Structures are given as structure tokens and as C-alpha cells.
């Protein structure tokens, strides 16, 4: 074999053109695939960095249909307490957490810094199976209201704040102005949950009124041998028993149990797999091209192969020699592909504005950085073997069937390709064209989809708007304190020169789908057993519409009288009004927050707003419209809302006000930090990152497939023309015109194109159907998309056919027939 | 060594069958040096390919070293060919990418002979043919005569009992041609049976017998 490889190497070195073409084709195919695979590996395949991660599950409270977000809720404090108490037979541990943010350094004179924070139960890390790399975990005593404040810090913060020194333990950090003692440091890259920089005990400073609020993230570790089905059955029994002991319609009937990992990859999977599918298609085109090149090479060298056979080489030995060459080429292609992947992987990640959104949030919380690791190398090696052995086998088999008589007489040289070889090469080119068409249809489909998404108006102004978030947590523990702080901040911002108006809201206008509110419009029958409808929540203050540019169609905006002590009022959007009061004026109608038998108040509708664009979560289930509530009344009802978005309408370039706005916030409270500060236009551009990512990549693969298919066709026709030069010479000598010779070559190209269209069209229709079943937002492919993709392909193929056809047309009969 | 009985080679054509060879019966004894002659299209090369076991689609009986070739399957024919037959081509057909040494080595490697033994055999042959100084050269660096010398050496290296040569001097000028024929004569004298196809009466005189073909039939033997 070593000798075969040595000979193969020498042969390749003597044909640098062929070698370069084959290596380049494979390198492109393998390079982009390895790069995409490295992302798939990081986002979808790499296990969570915990011991026995398959036993970790995420828990939701579930009602009738567990598979939609509309029917599953985060856990309430009460549920956590009850489930922890009763689920000992199925779980070895049950942790809970919630996300918030705290400001660091506020009282030390340094500028306050916002830190993403997770409040966790004392056993949260134990359940996961992860321990601090320095110091210790929280104790049960620390996870109680009124306990001494402690904090576990992330590795990055440890490096930044303490230079990685071990005496960080015992040091005091001022978080929201309150001293917290550092008791531990988490491992590098660990930021779970909520991409936290610091962790504090859940119970510390907890407000008892939130007992029924569904804000807790629940994670549990299944006992060894307990299956998800068994856990589901056990949780049903536990829920039934709890409900029997204390009947309450709002009690969950079951737990929605999903593998922990699934929560990170579920939404991402279809999109990444669509991208990966496209990359595989590009690889297929590259591999077919590679096989075509090898086949052409085998045809060129069939004389030599026949001599080897005449010298005693068996079929097996000829196969081995030929495979040695394709394997060597595949190895070179893979090496070059890995180089491309090394360069392309970071580029792919960078294509996403936030660097990793498109590849899943898991990458931000764990060690899920994209890199060329063992599994990725394994993939590349597998591709190498597939390309080298799989696609090299056919040409090798063809080569091993050399005609000995031709070699003895030299009769094979200069003859036209035999029918079998022609068909084989033709089939490869048809395959390439078909796959390229499929890729182009995919790219066309996504382009249309993406255009629809980005051209749909938002319904609020995006120009001259500055926005940022501020978290009010431990510094402002009561609704009154928070409302006063927000009012004071609005006053300061409105006084900043260059600011026309200011408002505060939650959630951020472009993140409208983030907050759901359970409700019961008067007269509408609540879905049972859940007992409430769902809408998107928007909490606003007076003047919100004027500042954001959203349109109030009927009725009035909130006023200062709509405060915590005032009448409960709300504004609904058109979709909400249409759904519950079709053909009627919704103003004056009533909506109850929560279940009909729940403690929340009824709200009177005082206005109807125009609909705004909402980027829905496809797993949300049925969400009906948007419900605007006065922020003060929302805060009075639930203290769990602590992240607020300020929107400032500016008379100048918004970014130019950044420093003055930060200074204004410092005048309100120097301990507060503004974060995620950007213009509304920038925020809007950040949305649809995944779709844009998919579009860019599938477009790139479409282009790659197109170019490779065109090269493949060119290669085949050029080979045929070379082999038929004598025939063309005779035809020319007999009086054929140049146009006639061109027609001969072009007709062959046209047949191959037609074959590619037939198979590619059918394959694309099937691929689109499969993609839509996994990615429901995708539209159906219109005939226009197929037509455009076909046109682009036809143009490329025409160009690829034109060059060999022109060469055929320029045949000189004297030169071509000189051998005679 | 070779017995042919009623060998026929037929090509079916639209207008009827075409006989490339018809009723060929002959015997060639071990140690003979036979020249096959005849005009173009007489069936010389077709006969050589049948003798060399390149062609399996023919009728009649063919015995090689007592083995009934016409009754053997493809693999056994291939094994028989590897064991007994060496080829010399008109266009030399050396492998361009291999050195003289490697060209000589390759038939041995196809016969699964160990590397040490291959080295020893190749060195012997290089010495015998006086081309030791050329062993690291590529075919393109040799003259036509030198290339055919290597071609003959390669045909002999696996020690075949029969050499089949198709116009071995067809691409050489007369001096080089004579040198090759003298070499054949010497090899024949050492015991190798040689069958050559040639148009050259002069070359045929080096052999012990001439078989003449015309229109697929033996006209003298």
C-alpha cells in the first residue's frame, strides 16, 4: 500500500492542474461542511458539561397540552416547595433558579456595572453536578430569607475583579449597594442559567407575595434507571394527590419534563439542520465533481492501467492503486478543507452580530465555543473516507476494467468515450445540477421568507430612538420604590438636551413575545382546564405612544391617574379587540388578569392600539393580541418584574447622547447601570439573526453548488470534446459549419441540464416539504422560486457548455486528422 | 507448449458475421522462435491476443503447457498468463511516472514477491541488460532503443516461458531494431519461447519458423 501511495503521490505531482482542481473541489466541500459541523457539534451534539447529563431534566408546570409554551409555565415558588417535598422517588435532586441582574461597585465610587445574575437554590449546583473551582457552594442556611448575603462569582469576574487571586474568597462585593461575601468561584465558561456572571441564593430578599408567580426555572436529576415516561407518570400522581389535598383550579395537573439539553437546542435544531442539509448538498456536489474528475482521469490513463493489467496486475491491485490516488487526493482535500474550516468557523460565528446567537444560547452558558475538536476531526475523517473510498471507488472500478487489447495496440487513445463512461459521467453531472437546483430553490425560498420578515413594518419608529435597559432589584424592593425611581429617571432623561421625549416599558419593544399575560376578556369562555387565555403583555407609562411612535387608534393613552391606586385600566391592540369583540368597539370592555376565580383585578379597556410586529415563538401556541397595562399597576401586582427598557426620542443622533444619558441615570441613583444601550434601528437589525444566518449560508452553498455543477459540466464536455476532436475534424472537413459543431456540444449540455432539472425539481419539492415540517414559518415554494433558480442554473450551465462548444467549433481539420 | 485446434474469432455485424480468424490449428513447441506475418487485417494481432489470453471470446481449443485454456475461467486464465507469459509492445508502454528500476520492479510486485527478493531480481536483470546506469532515469530520459530494451527486460523479469511481442521494433530505427532482435535471439537460445508479430522479413529471419496469415486463415506454417 505504501508503494501505491508513493506512486500515487508521484503521479499527482506530475499533474499539478488535475491535483489542484480535485483538491480545491474537495477542500471547498469538506471545508464548509466541517465548519458547519463544528457549529452543529457545539450547539446540538456536544453534551452538557455535567456528569451524566442525560439524567438532567427541565421542569415546567403543565396543563392540558404540554407541548406548547402556552400550556406550560415556569414553576411557582409553591410548586417548587411541593414538588421538592414529594418527588424523592424519581429525582435525586431538584433545584430552582431565576434570573435577574445586580449592579456592582455602586457604592465604591467606581461606575456601576450591570451583572447578569442567577438566584439559585442552595442545591442548584449539586443537582447539576458542578462545583465551584474555588471555595464552596451555598449552604442551606444561606438560602433563607434574612440570611447573611453571599455570592458565588463567575470565572471571568474573578479574573477581572480579583486578578484570579485565591484571596478573593471572603472579599466583599457591593451588589445593588449591599455587601455580599464571595464564597466561591465557578469554573471557566460556566454561566448557567441566564448567562449569569454571579450567583446569589434564591431565598435571600425574596418576597412572599410572589408565591404564585410562575418565574422559577426548575431543574432536576432523575434517579438512575428512572425513564422520562416513568417520571411523567409519577409527577401526574404527585400533582393529583396535591390537588386532592388542597383543591385549586390553578394547580398544575402534571409536570412537563424535557431533557435539560433540549431547552437549548429545540428551537435551533430545525434551522441548524436546514443549514447543515444545505452544506451536505454542497458536499455532495463537490464529491460528485471529485468523482467526475477521477473518472476523467481514469479515462485519460486507461492506457497505462491496461499496461499494468498486461504486466500482471489483478483487478484488486488495480483497484488498490486507483484508490490510493483518490485517498491521497481526499487526504489533501481534507487537510485543505480543515484549513478552510479553521478560517470559516470563526467567520460563521461572527456572521451573527452577537457572535453566537445563531448558534444557540447554550454556547454562552457552557463550554460550547466552536472549535475544531476531536468529533469535528472525526467528521472530517469520515468525509475523507466517504469522498476517497465512496466516490473514488466508481472511477477506480472503471479503471480496473481496462481493455488490454486497446493498450497493446494503442487503439483506445483518441477514441470517443465509451457509452458506459459517458453515462456515468453524465449521471454525475445530472446529479450535480439536481443538487445545485435544490440549493438554489432553498436559497430563493429563504430570500423570499427573509424579505417578508424584514419588510413587514414594526409599527413603531426606529429612527432617532435610543433605548437601554435598567434593572431595579434589591435597591428598590417595593413597587412604590420602583415606580418612584422610574418616574425620577424619566424626569432626568426628558431634561437631557437633545431628548424630545422619554418613556419606559417592559418588555423591550422588539422583544414583545418575551412576556405573556394570562387573561380572561369578559364574555369569552376560558379554555379548560387551564382557565385563561394568553396575550402578550406590554407595561407602559403615559406618553408611551408618542415616544415610541406606536399608533393609538381609539380611546386614550394612560394618564398619571392610572397609577397603582387608580382605576385598573388597559389598552388592547387591534388583534386582541378583533379576536374577542369582532365588529364592536372594545373600549369600555373588561379584561381580567389571570383566572376568573383568581385574585387579580378586572381592567377596563380605555384604548385600542395598532398592531405591531411581534417575532413569535413558534412553540407559544395560541396567543391572542397584546394587552397594555399601566406599569405602576403591573408593578403593584407583581414584584418579579425588574427589568425595564427606556426609550428616548432624540432630536440628534441617538448614540451621541450616550454619555449624557448615563450621567442623567447616575443623578437618579449612582448605583444604577444602563445596559444594552443601542439605537432602535440597531436593535431591529439584531432581530432575525438566525434567519439571516441561514439565508446567508444557504445562499453561499447555493452559489458553491452552482459553481461546482458548472465546473463539473464543463469538465465533462471539455473531456468529450478532446476525445471527439478527430470526429469534429472529419465533420468540419465534410462541410459542417461552426454552428453545427457548437450545436452538437450544446445539445449534450442541454440534455444534461434537462435531466438535472427533472430530478432537482422533484428533490427540491420534497426537501422544501421536509424543511417546512421542521420549520413551520417557512413559506411554500412558489413556481417563481423554481423558475428563478432554474434560470440562474441554466445561465451557469450555458456558460459552462459554451467554452467547450467554442473549442469544438474552432477545430482545424488538418491538425485534428494529422494522426491519419 | 502451445496447441491450437480450430480457433475461430467471429465479430457479429449487421450484415452477417465477420471471421477475424478461421480454422486456426497449429502447434508451437517449447524453445521455438516463431514470427507471425501477414498483411494488415489478416488476423495477426488477433491471434497474438488470443495466445496472450487477453481475448476470451473465441471458439476452438487452446492448450498452453498442457492446460486446456478454453475450459478455464477468467481467474485461472489470468493466473496462467501471469505465470507463463511476458509481453513486449510496439510502443514500449513503459510507465512514464516510474523510473527504469520501478518499471522493472512492477511485474514482480504484482506477483506478490517480497521486496528483498524483488531488489535482487531487478538488480540481476539491470546487470544482465547492461542498464544499471539508467536505473534511476525516467522513460522520457531514454532513447527509443533503450526504452524497448527496458520493455524486453520488464517482459522477462518474472521469468516467463513465453514472450509475446507485437511489432517489437516497429517504432525503432533499423540499428536499434537489429539490437533488439539479437537480444530476442539470445533469449531464445537461453530457452525462452518467443512469438512475435512482425511486418519485417528481416526480423522474421531471426526466428526459427514463420506462420503466415491472410484473411484470418493460416496460409503457411
Amino acid at each position: 500500500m505504501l508503494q501505491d501511495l508513493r506512486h500515487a503521490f508521484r503521479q499527482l505531482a506530475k499533474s499539478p492542474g488535475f491535483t489542484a482542481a480535485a483538491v480545491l473541489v474537495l477542500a471547498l466541500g469538506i471545508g464548509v461542511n466541517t465548519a458547519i459541523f463544528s457549529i452543529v457539534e457545539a450547539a446540538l451534539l456536544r453534551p452538557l458539561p455535567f456528569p451524566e447529563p442525560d439524567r438532567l431534566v427541565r421542569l415546567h408546570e403543565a396543563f392540558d397540552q404540554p407541548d406548547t409554551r402556552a400550556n406550560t409555565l415556569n414553576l411557582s415558588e409553591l410548586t417548587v416547595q411541593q414538588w421538592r417535598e414529594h418527588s424523592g422517588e424519581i429525582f435525586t435532586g431538584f433545584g430552582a433558579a431565576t434570573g435577574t441582574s445586580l449592579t456592582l461597585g455602586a457604592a465604591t465610587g467606581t461606575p456601576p456595572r450591570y451583572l447578569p445574575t442567577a438566584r439559585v437554590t442552595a442545591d442548584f449546583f449539586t443537582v447539576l453536578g458542578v462545583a465551584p473551582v474555588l471555595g464552596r457552594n451555598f449552604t442551606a442556611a444561606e438560602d433563607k430569607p434574612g440570611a447573611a448575603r453571599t455570592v458565588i462569582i463567575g470565572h471571568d469576574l474573578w479574573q477581572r475583579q480579583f486578578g484570579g487571586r485565591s484571596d478573593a474568597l471572603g472579599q466583599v462585593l457591593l451588589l445593588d449597594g449591599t455587601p455580599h461575601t464571595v464564597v466561591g468561584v465557578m469554573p471557566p465558561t460556566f454561566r448557567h442559567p441566564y448567562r449569569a456572571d454571579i450567583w446569589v441564593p434564591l431565598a435571600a430578599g425574596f418576597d412572599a407575595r410572589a408565591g404564585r408567580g410562575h418565574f422559577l426555572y426548575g431543574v432536576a436529576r432523575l434517579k438512575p434507571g428512572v425513564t422520562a415516561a416513568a417520571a411523567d407518570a409519577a409527577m401526574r400522581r404527585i400533582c393529583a394527590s396535591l390537588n386532592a389535598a388542597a383543591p385549586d383550579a390553578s394547580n398544575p395537573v402534571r409536570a412537563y419534563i424535557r431533557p435539560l439539553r433540549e431547552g437549548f437546542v429545540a428551537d435551533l435544531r430545525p434551522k441548524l439542520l436546514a443549514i447543515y442539509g444545505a452544506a451536505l448538498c454542497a458536499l455532495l456536489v463537490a464529491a460528485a465533481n471529485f468523482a467526475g474528475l477521477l473518472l476523467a482521469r481514469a479515462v485519460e490513463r486507461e492506457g497505462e492501467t491496461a499496461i499494468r493489467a498486461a504486466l500482471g496486475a489483478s483487478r484488486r491491485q488495480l483497484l488498490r492503486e486507483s484508490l490510493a490516488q483518490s485517498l491521497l487526493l481526499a487526504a489533501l482535500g481534507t487537510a485543505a478543507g480543515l484549513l478552510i474550516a479553521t478560517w470559516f468557523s470563526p467567520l460563521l460565528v461572527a456572521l451573527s452580530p452577537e457572535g453566537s446567537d445563531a448558534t444557540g444560547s447554550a454556547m454562552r452558558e457552557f463550554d460550547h465555543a466552536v472549535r475544531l475538536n476531536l468529533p469535528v476531526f472525526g467528521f472530517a475523517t469520515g468525509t475523507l473516507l466517504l469522498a476517497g473510498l465512496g466516490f473514488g471507488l466508481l472511477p477506480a472500478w472503471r479503471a480496473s476494467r481496462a481493455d488490454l487489447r486497446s493498450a497493446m495496440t494503442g487503439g483506445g487513445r483518441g477514441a470517443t468515450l465509451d457509452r458506459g463512461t459517458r453515462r456515468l459521467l453524465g449521471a454525475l453531472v445530472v446529479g450535480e445540477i439536481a443538487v445545485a437546483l435544490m440549493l438554489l430553490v432553498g436559497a430563493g425560498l429563504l430570500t423570499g421568507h427573509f424579505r417578508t420578515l424584514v419588510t413587514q413594518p414594526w409599527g413603531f419608529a426606529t429612527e432617532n430612538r435610543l433605548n437601554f435597559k435598567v434593572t431595579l432589584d434589591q435597591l428598590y424592593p417595593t413597587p412604590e420604590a420602583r415606580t418612584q425611581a422610574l418616574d425620577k429617571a424619566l424626569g432626568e432623561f426628558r431634561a437631557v438636551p437633545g431628548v424630545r421625549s422619554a418613556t419606559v416599558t417592559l418588555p423591550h419593544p422588539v422583544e414583545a413575545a418575551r412576556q405573556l399575560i394570562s387573561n380572561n376578556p369578559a364574555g369569552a369562555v376560558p379554555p379548560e382546564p387551564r382557565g385563561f387565555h394568553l396575550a402578550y403583555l406590554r407595561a407602559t407609562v403615559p406618553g408611551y405612544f408618542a415616544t415610541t411612535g406606536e399608533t393609538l387608534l381609539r380611546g386614550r393613552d394612560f394618564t398619571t391617574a392610572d397609577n397603582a391606586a387608580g382605576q385598573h385600566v388597559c389598552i388592547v391592540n387591534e388583534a386582541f379587540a378583533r379576536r374577542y369583540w369582532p365588529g364592536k368597539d372594545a373600549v369600555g370592555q373588561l379584561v381580567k388578569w389571570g383566572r376568573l376565580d383568581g385574585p387579580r383585578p378586572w381592567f377596563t379597556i380605555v384604548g385600542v392600539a395598532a398592531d405591531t410586529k411581534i417575532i413569535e415563538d413558534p412553540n407559544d401556541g395560541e396567543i391572542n393580541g397584546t394587552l397594555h397595562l399601566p406599569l405602576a399597576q403591573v408593578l403593584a401586582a407583581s414584584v418579579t418584574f425588574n427589568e425595564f427598557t427606556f426609550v428616548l426620542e432624540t432630536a440628534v443622533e441617538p448614540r451621541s447622547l450616550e454619555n449624557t444619558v448615563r450621567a442623567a441615570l447616575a443623578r437618579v441613583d449612582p448605583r444604577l447601570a444602563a445596559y444594552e444601550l443601542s439605537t432602535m434601528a440597531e436593535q431591529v437589525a439584531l432581530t432575525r439573526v438566525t434567519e439571516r444566518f441561514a439565508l446567508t449560508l444557504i445562499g453561499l452553498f447555493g452559489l458553491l453548488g452552482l459553481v461546482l455543477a458548472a465546473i463539473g459540466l464543463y469538465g465533462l464536455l471539455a473531456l468529450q470534446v478532446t476525445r471527439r476532436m478527430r470526429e469534429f475534424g472529419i465533420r468540419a472537413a465534410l462541410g459542417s459549419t461552426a454552428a453545427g459543431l457548437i450545436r452538437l456540444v450544446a445539445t449534450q449540455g442541454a440534455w444534461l441540464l434537462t435531466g438535472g432539472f427533472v430530478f432537482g425539481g422533484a428533490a427540491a419539492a420534497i426537501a422544501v416539504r421536509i424543511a417546512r415540517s421542521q420549520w413551520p414559518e417557512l413559506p411554500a415554494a412558489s413556481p417563481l422560486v423554481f423558475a428563478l433558480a432554474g434560470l440562474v442554473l441554466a445561465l451557469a450551465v450555458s456558460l459552462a457548455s459554451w467554452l467547450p462548444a467554442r473549442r469544438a467549433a474552432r477545430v482545424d481539420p488538418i491538425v485534428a486528422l494529422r494522426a491519419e | 507448449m502451445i496447441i491450437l485446434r480450430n480457433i475461430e474469432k467471429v465479430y457479429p455485424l449487421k450484415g452477417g458475421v465477420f471471421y477475424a480468424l478461421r480454422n486456426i490449428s497449429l502447434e508451437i513447441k517449447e524453445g521455438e522462435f516463431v514470427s507471425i506475418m501477414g498483411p494488415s487485417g489478416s488476423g495477426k494481432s488477433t491471434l497474438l491476443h488470443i495466445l496472450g489470453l487477453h481475448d476470451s471470446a473465441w471458439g476452438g481449443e487452446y492448450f498452453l503447457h498442457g492446460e486446456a485454456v478454453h475450459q478455464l475461467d477468467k481467474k485461472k486464465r489470468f493466473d496462467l498468463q501471469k505465470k507463463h507469459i511476458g509481453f513486449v509492445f510496439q510502443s514500449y508502454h513503459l510507465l512514464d511516472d516510474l523510473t527504469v528500476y520501478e518499471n522493472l520492479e512492477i511485474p514482480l510486485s504484482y506477483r506478490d514477491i517480497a521486496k528483498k527478493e524483488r531488489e535482487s531480481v531487478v538488480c540481476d536483470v539491470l546487470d544482465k541488460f547492461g542498464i544499471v546506469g539508467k536505473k534511476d532515469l525516467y522513460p522520457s530520459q531514454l532513447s527509443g532503443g533503450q526504452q524497448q530494451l527496458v520493455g524486453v527486460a520488464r517482459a522477462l523479469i518474472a521469468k516467463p516461458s513465453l514472450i509475446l511481442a507485437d511489432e517489437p521494433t516497429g517504432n525503432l530505427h533499423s540499428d536499434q531494431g537489429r539490437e533488439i532482435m539479437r537480444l530476442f535471439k539470445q533469449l531464445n537460445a537461453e530457452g525462452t519461447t518467443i512469438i512475435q508479430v512482425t511486418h519485417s522479413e528481416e526480423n522474421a529471419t531471426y526466428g526459427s519458423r514463420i506462420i503466415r496469415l491472410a484473411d484470418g486463415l493460416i496460409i503457411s506454417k
Side-chain angles (χ1 to χ4, degrees), chain A residues 492-503:
Chain A
E492 286 289 344
F493 295 142
R494 284 168 183 152
V496 170
V499 172
R500 283 195 182 128
S501 65
T503 190

PDB file of all heavy atoms in Angstrom, chain A residues 492-503:
ATOM      1  N   GLU A 492     -35.388  62.980  34.579  1.00  0.00           N
ATOM      2  CA  GLU A 492     -33.999  63.330  34.260  1.00  0.00           C
ATOM      3  C   GLU A 492     -33.732  63.212  32.749  1.00  0.00           C
ATOM      4  O   GLU A 492     -33.112  64.074  32.146  1.00  0.00           O
ATOM      5  CB  GLU A 492     -33.036  62.405  35.016  1.00  0.00           C
ATOM      6  CG  GLU A 492     -32.909  62.698  36.506  1.00  0.00           C
ATOM      7  CD  GLU A 492     -32.155  64.008  36.791  1.00  0.00           C
ATOM      8  OE1 GLU A 492     -31.482  64.530  35.875  1.00  0.00           O
ATOM      9  OE2 GLU A 492     -32.261  64.514  37.929  1.00  0.00           O
ATOM     10  N   PHE A 493     -34.223  62.115  32.161  1.00  0.00           N
ATOM     11  CA  PHE A 493     -33.957  61.891  30.743  1.00  0.00           C
ATOM     12  C   PHE A 493     -34.647  62.961  29.882  1.00  0.00           C
ATOM     13  O   PHE A 493     -34.099  63.425  28.881  1.00  0.00           O
ATOM     14  CB  PHE A 493     -34.419  60.494  30.304  1.00  0.00           C
ATOM     15  CG  PHE A 493     -33.656  59.372  30.967  1.00  0.00           C
ATOM     16  CD1 PHE A 493     -34.298  58.199  31.354  1.00  0.00           C
ATOM     17  CD2 PHE A 493     -32.291  59.489  31.202  1.00  0.00           C
ATOM     18  CE1 PHE A 493     -33.596  57.181  31.973  1.00  0.00           C
ATOM     19  CE2 PHE A 493     -31.582  58.459  31.829  1.00  0.00           C
ATOM     20  CZ  PHE A 493     -32.240  57.305  32.220  1.00  0.00           C
ATOM     21  N   ARG A 494     -35.851  63.310  30.269  1.00  0.00           N
ATOM     22  CA  ARG A 494     -36.587  64.299  29.475  1.00  0.00           C
ATOM     23  C   ARG A 494     -35.896  65.662  29.518  1.00  0.00           C
ATOM     24  O   ARG A 494     -36.090  66.487  28.619  1.00  0.00           O
ATOM     25  CB  ARG A 494     -38.026  64.420  29.994  1.00  0.00           C
ATOM     26  CG  ARG A 494     -38.888  63.237  29.549  1.00  0.00           C
ATOM     27  CD  ARG A 494     -40.223  63.183  30.272  1.00  0.00           C
ATOM     28  NE  ARG A 494     -40.986  61.992  29.878  1.00  0.00           N
ATOM     29  CZ  ARG A 494     -41.869  61.373  30.635  1.00  0.00           C
ATOM     30  NH1 ARG A 494     -42.130  61.827  31.876  1.00  0.00           N
ATOM     31  NH2 ARG A 494     -42.513  60.317  30.199  1.00  0.00           N
ATOM     32  N   ALA A 495     -35.097  65.869  30.564  1.00  0.00           N
ATOM     33  CA  ALA A 495     -34.409  67.160  30.697  1.00  0.00           C
ATOM     34  C   ALA A 495     -33.079  67.192  29.955  1.00  0.00           C
ATOM     35  O   ALA A 495     -32.431  68.239  29.861  1.00  0.00           O
ATOM     36  CB  ALA A 495     -34.175  67.447  32.187  1.00  0.00           C
ATOM     37  N   VAL A 496     -32.658  66.023  29.446  1.00  0.00           N
ATOM     38  CA  VAL A 496     -31.371  65.997  28.737  1.00  0.00           C
ATOM     39  C   VAL A 496     -31.511  66.748  27.415  1.00  0.00           C
ATOM     40  O   VAL A 496     -32.446  66.480  26.646  1.00  0.00           O
ATOM     41  CB  VAL A 496     -30.940  64.526  28.465  1.00  0.00           C
ATOM     42  CG1 VAL A 496     -29.745  64.483  27.513  1.00  0.00           C
ATOM     43  CG2 VAL A 496     -30.605  63.825  29.769  1.00  0.00           C
ATOM     44  N   PRO A 497     -30.605  67.709  27.136  1.00  0.00           N
ATOM     45  CA  PRO A 497     -30.687  68.427  25.859  1.00  0.00           C
ATOM     46  C   PRO A 497     -30.545  67.442  24.699  1.00  0.00           C
ATOM     47  O   PRO A 497     -29.667  66.587  24.706  1.00  0.00           O
ATOM     48  CB  PRO A 497     -29.492  69.387  25.902  1.00  0.00           C
ATOM     49  CG  PRO A 497     -29.135  69.499  27.350  1.00  0.00           C
ATOM     50  CD  PRO A 497     -29.515  68.213  27.987  1.00  0.00           C
ATOM     51  N   GLY A 498     -31.434  67.570  23.733  1.00  0.00           N
ATOM     52  CA  GLY A 498     -31.393  66.641  22.589  1.00  0.00           C
ATOM     53  C   GLY A 498     -32.427  65.539  22.707  1.00  0.00           C
ATOM     54  O   GLY A 498     -32.693  64.823  21.752  1.00  0.00           O
ATOM     55  N   VAL A 499     -32.999  65.405  23.901  1.00  0.00           N
ATOM     56  CA  VAL A 499     -34.050  64.393  24.087  1.00  0.00           C
ATOM     57  C   VAL A 499     -35.412  65.071  23.940  1.00  0.00           C
ATOM     58  O   VAL A 499     -35.707  66.046  24.634  1.00  0.00           O
ATOM     59  CB  VAL A 499     -33.936  63.723  25.479  1.00  0.00           C
ATOM     60  CG1 VAL A 499     -35.130  62.823  25.735  1.00  0.00           C
ATOM     61  CG2 VAL A 499     -32.641  62.914  25.558  1.00  0.00           C
ATOM     62  N   ARG A 500     -36.216  64.567  23.030  1.00  0.00           N
ATOM     63  CA  ARG A 500     -37.544  65.161  22.825  1.00  0.00           C
ATOM     64  C   ARG A 500     -38.559  64.594  23.812  1.00  0.00           C
ATOM     65  O   ARG A 500     -39.382  65.311  24.362  1.00  0.00           O
ATOM     66  CB  ARG A 500     -38.031  64.859  21.406  1.00  0.00           C
ATOM     67  CG  ARG A 500     -37.393  65.728  20.341  1.00  0.00           C
ATOM     68  CD  ARG A 500     -38.191  65.612  19.041  1.00  0.00           C
ATOM     69  NE  ARG A 500     -37.581  66.393  17.994  1.00  0.00           N
ATOM     70  CZ  ARG A 500     -37.273  65.924  16.797  1.00  0.00           C
ATOM     71  NH1 ARG A 500     -37.524  64.668  16.495  1.00  0.00           N
ATOM     72  NH2 ARG A 500     -36.729  66.709  15.893  1.00  0.00           N
ATOM     73  N   SER A 501     -38.499  63.297  23.980  1.00  0.00           N
ATOM     74  CA  SER A 501     -39.422  62.677  24.929  1.00  0.00           C
ATOM     75  C   SER A 501     -38.812  61.372  25.402  1.00  0.00           C
ATOM     76  O   SER A 501     -37.862  60.857  24.787  1.00  0.00           O
ATOM     77  CB  SER A 501     -40.776  62.410  24.272  1.00  0.00           C
ATOM     78  OG  SER A 501     -40.638  61.458  23.235  1.00  0.00           O
ATOM     79  N   ALA A 502     -39.343  60.843  26.491  1.00  0.00           N
ATOM     80  CA  ALA A 502     -38.803  59.594  27.035  1.00  0.00           C
ATOM     81  C   ALA A 502     -39.940  58.768  27.614  1.00  0.00           C
ATOM     82  O   ALA A 502     -40.935  59.309  28.094  1.00  0.00           O
ATOM     83  CB  ALA A 502     -37.761  59.883  28.111  1.00  0.00           C
ATOM     84  N   THR A 503     -39.782  57.473  27.532  1.00  0.00           N
ATOM     85  CA  THR A 503     -40.785  56.585  28.127  1.00  0.00           C
ATOM     86  C   THR A 503     -40.076  55.344  28.655  1.00  0.00           C
ATOM     87  O   THR A 503     -38.893  55.109  28.360  1.00  0.00           O
ATOM     88  CB  THR A 503     -41.856  56.195  27.091  1.00  0.00           C
ATOM     89  OG1 THR A 503     -42.929  55.533  27.756  1.00  0.00           O
ATOM     90  CG2 THR A 503     -41.303  55.264  26.020  1.00  0.00           C
TER      91      THR A 503
END
